[in-house]
Amino acid sequence: MSKKYRAMCGFLDQNGYVFHINRIHSKRFELHKNGTIVKVYKQRHSCNKIIAKKYNSLRA
């Protein structure tokens, strides 16, 4: 994980949003927010984009 990604997750955690990416299969990733499944994606990058989008919306 990159330093920027860890910083984003730490900021979201401080604001009450706990994100977790669970790898089900090689082409299946579940994005969890506060313990509930938000959506299932085929690429991990798609999950990371959603996390970055939430981070940017809170920073603005």
Side-chain angles (χ1 to χ4, degrees), residues 12-45:
L12 290 171
D13 189 32
Q14 290 174 355
N15 287 304
Y17 295 99
V18 179
F19 283 95
H20 174 71
I21 300 172
N22 190 16
R23 183 177 182 173
I24 302 298
H25 195 265
S26 63
K27 293 268 184 175
R28 188 176 165 122
F29 297 89
E30 290 179 342
L31 179 65
H32 296 251
K33 182 172 94 173
N34 295 334
T36 59
I37 298 172
V38 176
K39 193 168 179 182
V40 178
Y41 293 98
K42 290 185 180 179
Q43 297 179 349
R44 185 178 181 91
H45 180 70

